[in-house]
Amino acid sequence: MSSTTSIHGMWSSRLAFILAATGSAVGLGNVWRFPYTAGEYGGGAFVLVYLACVAAIGLPIMMAEVMIGRRGRQSPINTMRALARDEGVSPLWQLLGWMGILAGFLILSFYSVIAGWTLAYVVRAGAGTFSGADAAAAEALFSALVADPERLLAWHTIFMVMTVLVVARGVASGLERAVRWLMPALFVLLALMVFYAAQAGDFAAGLEYMFYPDFAELGAHPGEAVLSAMGQAFFSLSLGMGAIMIYGSYLNSRASIGQNAIIIAGMDTLVALLAGMAIFPIVLANGLEPGSGPGLIFQTLPIAFGQMPGGALFGTVFFVLLVFAAWTSAISLLEPMVAWLVENRGFSRPRAAALGGVVVWLLGIACLLSLNVWSDITVFGKGFLDLFDYVTANVLLPLGGVFIAIFAGWIMRRASSEDELGLRGSSLAFRAWWVLVRFVAPACVVLVFLHAIGLI
Ligand code: PHE
């Protein structure tokens, strides 16, 4: 039934897939979103719940998503339609693909604005703007940036153009080469940052903050905190919207999905933890507020770069790598809708990428204006940027994840899953996955939802 290759091209090797999927997973979610979200909910307990979500929900759903993608070999919408037909269930399953496209639009629109901040910080770091900066100076620099819609628009536009250019050329050709050196470099630099934080920051306090779980810190609404930890797991692992599904569709049929998923989720988690260990010691040593919100790393890292020897160079390299990490994630956010336009509308890749890019760019303008001129336009008390971030990570991605788990665990024939995962049905690995994907992952997501809205 499923073909062995995709019309959009294939990864040249298993390593290429791992690199690309890790490139999708590792991004602003790890370095920007994880620390500030953990900070909002008091650190340790949030981190613990987050890790549990990665293991019990994220990992099995990642395997399911790669598996579905590889079996369908098309854009998520068409993959779902084809697999639903094969299994003799309703074509409405393709709505899962559509929901993913919507999530992709919304995420990329604010993601690009934050990636724009990162671009702006490359220039600032390079120009030596941070030299000698203290907490107040770093804060002032950040506020000046977000208050300036024209500058935000310029950077957002540059980032969207970068993203469209790569997607237009085809994911495999440009991406593989970039990620091959980027990932190791980002690792090394983050490790160096942790080393610096251990010297100059309050390392003991930082580690305690991150790893000592104090459940009282989850606040008056622990359901809300747990929902955010789960949402962060989906966001960081790129799950629930078809990005990992489409990357799976370019994977050759022999590669082991389970092993690859463990490697990808493991690296993603490691990068998030390293980022936290680099940031919290500096936050605490400088009397900053861990719960200060989305500006956290942009108000913290400049203090470190401004004080360390060679900080201008180091800071520039750091933000350049973060731009790359964001870039490789952004590409995976645009790819599902582009693949669909190519498949169903007969668009050329460049045209499809440009069209998707323009829609995202427009939505992004609403996000960046919500930081300044439109700051009093709110929906549920949130401006567009915060709203898109909240709704996608905490609602759309987990919802997509539940349906992926249900499809893999309940709709697809067990024999198809065994075959696609390359596992014997009697093996421990398969049975563990089967229990997680059928029962544990969907039940956890639903319980977390119900708890967050106060029903249980
Ligand atoms: N995982 C990416 C990050 O952590 C963001 C992302 C979410 C990418 C969903 C694709 C799909 O930055």
Side-chain angles (χ1 to χ4, degrees), residues 24-30 107 111 235-239 241 243 268 329 332-333 397:
S24 166
V26 174
L28 294 171
N30 308 60
I107 295 176
Y111 205 83
F235 187 90
S236 191
L237 296 170
S238 301
L239 294 178
M241 56 76 58
D268 185 69
S329 300
S332 73
L333 282 160
L397 298 184

Side-chain angles (χ1 to χ4, degrees), residues 6-9 74-78 101 167-171 246 250 334-356:
S6 159
I7 61 160
H8 307 289
Q74 297 166 68
S75 67
I77 295 171
N78 290 327
I101 301 269
V167 177
R169 288 190 52 199
V171 165
I246 195 136
Y250 306 151
L334 198 57
E335 179 66 12
M337 63 183 104
V338 167
W340 180 80
L341 283 171
V342 171
E343 288 165 7
N344 285 44
R345 293 280 173 269
F347 279 33
S348 66
R349 273 194 83 86
R351 222 176 125 214
L355 178 66

